[in-house]
Amino acid sequence: MVLAEIIAWIATIFRGCGMLAKRADIVKYLVSLGNLFWLINGIITHNTPLMVSNGFCLAVMVYEIIKKQIKKK
């Protein structure tokens, strides 16, 4: 499926850029976007392990982002 492959490449680019980022908050945002795209890819391809693992990682990253935003206030 071409759409799934395109989404997988987008996810890989976000995850790769996240690994190259210098600031921790930018890493979290980019890796979160990568996880979101991998989650979408898992939904499209009906790949349950891909959905569960990336959904879990995305939830942890979003929790960390929200926690940091609350501490700033």
Side-chain angles (χ1 to χ4, degrees):
M1 188 183 283
V2 176
L3 180 60
E5 288 184 28
I6 292 169
I7 291 172
W9 279 110
I10 292 170
T12 301
I13 290 167
F14 275 116
R15 298 277 312 259
C17 290
M19 297 302 143
L20 296 173
K22 303 254 189 259
R23 292 181 25 208
D25 56 337
I26 300 298
V27 170
K28 288 178 185 174
Y29 293 131
L30 291 172
V31 170
S32 295
L33 283 170
N35 286 332
L36 177 62
F37 278 101
W38 275 120
L39 177 62
I40 293 167
N41 180 278
I43 292 168
I44 291 171
T45 60
H46 306 287
N47 186 332
T48 304
L50 189 64
M51 289 186 280
V52 172
S53 64
N54 283 285
F56 177 75
C57 291
L58 182 59
V60 169
M61 288 296 214
V62 169
Y63 171 77
E64 290 294 323
I65 291 168
I66 291 170
K67 187 172 78 170
K68 185 173 181 179
Q69 293 299 321
I70 290 172
K71 281 185 179 180
K72 282 185 179 181
K73 292 181 181 184

